[in-house]
Amino acid sequence: MGIWKLHGGDRLYGEVTIQGAKNAVLPILSAALVTGCVTTLENVPRLRDVENTLRILECLDCRVERDGNRVTVDSRPARLNPVPPELMTRMRSSVLFLGAMTARFGAGCVSMPGGCMLGPRPVDLHLRALETLGGEITVTDETIACRAPRLRGGHIHFPTPSVGATENALLAACAAAGETVITGAAREPEIGDLQNFLRAMGAEITGAGTDTVRIRGMTPREEVTYSVMPDRIAGATILCAAAACGGDVTVRQVVPEHLDTVTDALFSMGCGIQTGRNTVRLTSDGCLRSPGVIETRPYPGFPTDAQPVLLAACLKAEGVTEFRETIFSGRLRHTRELMKLGADIRVDDRTALVTGVPVLTGAAVTAMDLRGGAALIVAGLTAEGETEIVDRDLITRGYEHLDRILRALGADITYSD
Ligand code: EPZ
């Protein structure tokens, strides 16, 4: 149980390097199991979810080494051992081991995945994809098992895009005989990163980033070296904090086009935005105006993961902002905590109407999920007085040293475990 303490009112100035992407490295680590090889990954963020995933790989007899932001996974000795449920149930991405195990061993078993409480998070699309490739699925209250002595290529169609289900389908299809075509695939950049990693492993994949992906099997390589893409949501979080606090902040090692829906919104709020090859610079006087309507959509639409932090940046903006959360039915729980700081928010089902207020006042609040917790930090940095955030290891799941980064920019913030 960690505690964040912050005193608002400081402007933010400086340059920060953004971490490797949590939502890219987690599927990539599962993918390292698909064939017996030695994988060296660079730009791996130091996060609880990454540590948890490395423990799962070790339970499967992989040899894992960590040296700062470099991780080496030797999956040649891997065996289909049972994995303790407490490792699997802590995060959503553990479900990706089902596709990776099935590809490697012809069978797999995972505990029901955990992860942020954002409303119902079914896995029906994951299971349908594995069944299309010949998997026999058995579901109990606690576990999901897949048996597929021979995976065969097929046409997987997703009626609605799912990042995780697209990733699970990719992992299993690498071991399938013949071609697999995925239509209705999610287009998030993290899927492109997974494709690039699987290609480095020897897979023949095309189309990631579009809604149609083709996989034609794999010619395994013994050694794989790969660098994880930047975390677009961590970058968005820092930019939203800078916009709300006011100042001049440059985020380095980002892919500007991965952030463009967020920077477009911040520009419309009155911020200055300058993009370089792998940088985004934001200037703000801290007096923002409403961006109007923000509707979360599958990529390339506005990312649901950035909704909470942009909403926090709108709390003192002039005018009324309408947030429509179309991806997760339970992703507005941070609004209740933000109201304790004096925010004017009216929530109706999946819509939040935020009316800008002149002042926010620090208070004791609780992080309800990863990005909602980050929203509390953004709001606390613009509130008068002290804000204390109780964090049941939620924020640290997804952000590497967020306290250090914000302090380096001039924020008065501390985090203690
Ligand atoms: C990934 O979650 C990300 N997590 C989430 O980030 C992100 O918000 C989400 O994609 C965006 O779509 C990781 O990559 C680890 P989905 P995922 O499957 O794969 C429904 C963060 O804060 N659905 O794309 O679980 C689902 O309920 C996290 O970093 C089904 O109905 O999301 C949701 O409404 C939070 N059946 C929609 O699809 C399924 O089988 C999109 O979910 C799967 C999903």
Side-chain angles (χ1 to χ4, degrees), residues 22-24 26-27 49 92-93 95-96 116 118-127 158 160-167 186 188 190 231-233 297-299 303-305 326-329 331 350 369-371 397-398:
K22 166 180 86 82
N23 292 349
L26 296 177
D49 278 7
R92 172 76 179 179
S93 59
V95 69
L96 299 177
C116 286
L118 305 174
R121 297 184 78 178
V123 292
D124 57 309
L125 297 177
H126 295 246
L127 304 185
F158 291 119
T160 58
S162 159
V163 171
T166 302
E167 290 165 344
E188 273 67 4
E190 291 76 19
D231 193 311
R232 58 196 171 104
I233 305 303
R297 304 296 300 163
Y299 195 89
T304 174
D305 293 348
T326 70
I327 306 293
F328 292 109
S329 60
R331 191 167 216 170
R350 290 183 176 217
D369 56 65
L370 166 56
R371 308 302 175 181
R397 278 188 55 199

